[in-house]
Amino acid sequence: MGQESPAYILAALTAGGGITGYIRTGSIPSIAAGCTVGALYGLGAYRIQQRQSYGVELALLASVILAGSSIPRAIRTQKPLPAGLSLLALFGLWTFGNAYRLGYKVKST
């Protein structure tokens, strides 16, 4: 499994979660944040799959944004939804942080 698979999965989960939050509560911030972070993950996955530069960095950026918004809220509220988002963010930070640290390189064609 390449680096693009986790990014596509995280894109679907975050965008889907934002849309679900909007449908359930009418929350504009939920749909805006979910779709924005999902788009960053999706773009990162596409760039990784196409062997273009900055794919891992985009997915790592999406993870940092998601972690920055969800982890403090999970600690403060102790609710399951922010805790789940925090786990997704930590998974992304670990996955794409490791790829970046190990020097994930784009293969020249």
Side-chain angles (χ1 to χ4, degrees):
M1 175 168 63
Q3 293 294 322
E4 71 274 4
S5 296
Y8 278 129
I9 292 167
L10 288 170
L13 288 173
T14 54
I19 292 167
T20 303
Y22 175 74
I23 290 170
R24 289 180 62 206
T25 64
S27 171
I28 300 291
S30 288
I31 195 167
C35 288
T36 301
V37 170
L40 283 172
Y41 275 127
L43 180 60
Y46 176 78
R47 292 186 69 87
I48 293 167
Q49 186 177 25
Q50 297 301 313
R51 308 237 187 273
Q52 298 174 348
S53 57
Y54 300 111
V56 170
E57 290 84 350
L58 280 170
L60 185 57
L61 174 65
S63 299
V64 168
I65 292 169
L66 184 59
S69 66
S70 65
I71 291 174
R73 197 173 43 188
I75 293 169
R76 187 175 61 249
T77 65
Q78 302 285 311
K79 291 186 178 178
L81 182 63
L85 288 172
S86 298
L87 289 176
L88 287 178
L90 290 173
F91 173 74
L93 286 170
W94 180 77
T95 301
F96 302 112
N98 254 352
Y100 182 78
R101 181 181 62 87
L102 295 174
Y104 181 84
K105 300 291 183 199
V106 175
K107 294 179 184 176
S108 300
T109 55

